[in-house]
């Protein structure tokens, strides 16, 4: 480990503030990025905070303001909803076992699709009840996932 508690093979772009990324060989042939190999992008010095009482505030153009704890931020998604009508009726998907709290949450559902084009939309909901935003236009967040499929007989 180096002086920033990062891997010795990180490609360092700057030291004040620290900006580095893993080498390509670190990421090759892996499903998950090792925790010690995540990109590190800092825009200033890190504050010295006690994580128990400190809570960030999420407000502004959001559906519901939040003040999550560190444990809330580390929590898994409680569910994924899927719509076959671009956000019309939603059905709850089945969640696969999550390999790591830092990995993508895989989900699955079974649906009867008629012939033609369908837009499949997915949104996540966390354990605090916050729903993933439909659009990232006013937020720095990942919006609903959408994929267009065409069924032919």
């Amino acid at each position: 480990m180096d002086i920033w508690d990062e891997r010795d093979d990180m490609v360092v772009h700057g030291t004040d503030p620290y900006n580095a990324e893993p080498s390509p060989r670190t990421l090759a042939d892996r499903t998950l990025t090792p925790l010690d190999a995540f990109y590190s992008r800092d825009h200033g010095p890190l504050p010295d905070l006690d994580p128990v009482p400190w809570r960030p505030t999420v407000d502004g153009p959001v559906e519901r303001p939040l003040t999550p704890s560190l444990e809330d931020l580390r929590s898994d998604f409680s569910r994924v909803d899927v719509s076959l009508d671009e956000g019309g009726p939603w059905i709850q998907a089945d969640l696969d076992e999550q390999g790591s709290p830092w990995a993508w949450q895989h989900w699955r559902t079974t649906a009867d699709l008629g012939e033609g084009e369908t837009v499949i939309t997915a949104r996540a909901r966390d354990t605090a009840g916050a729903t993933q935003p439909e659009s990232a236009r006013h937020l720095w967040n990942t919006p609903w996932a959408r994929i267009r499929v065409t069924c032919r007989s």
Side-chain angles (χ1 to χ4, degrees), residues 42-146:
D42 296 325
H43 299 285
L46 295 176
D48 185 19
L49 300 172
D50 181 350
V52 175
W54 182 83
R55 291 174 175 241
T57 299
V58 180
D59 59 12
V62 296
E63 188 175 304
R64 186 177 70 231
L66 296 173
T67 309
S69 68
L70 180 59
E71 188 57 39
D72 292 337
L73 295 172
R74 289 179 171 162
S75 68
D76 297 340
F77 290 109
S78 64
R79 63 188 275 176
V80 172
D81 298 320
V82 178
S83 171
L84 306 175
D85 190 18
E86 298 189 55
W90 294 92
I91 55 175
Q92 188 170 344
D94 295 318
L95 301 180
D96 292 342
E97 186 174 327
Q98 193 164 5
S100 161
W102 310 112
W104 289 99
Q105 174 63 66
H106 291 192
W107 55 269
R108 58 194 149 73
T109 192
T110 302
D112 291 324
L113 301 177
E115 191 168 340
E117 194 172 88
T118 300
V119 175
I120 301 172
T121 307
R123 69 178 182 193
R125 183 181 309 262
D126 66 18
T127 54
T131 304
Q132 187 175 16
E134 180 177 2
S135 168
R137 180 176 45 222
H138 301 292
L139 302 170
W140 286 10
N141 203 336
T142 306
W144 294 353
R146 294 176 173 89

Side-chain angles (χ1 to χ4, degrees), residues 19-43:
N19 287 295
E21 62 185 287
S23 64
R25 69 176 154 59
T26 302
L27 303 177
D29 300 323
R30 295 181 182 257
T31 304
L32 298 175
T33 301
L35 289 178
D36 63 348
F38 270 89
Y39 289 85
S40 182
R41 299 284 188 252
D42 296 325
H43 299 285

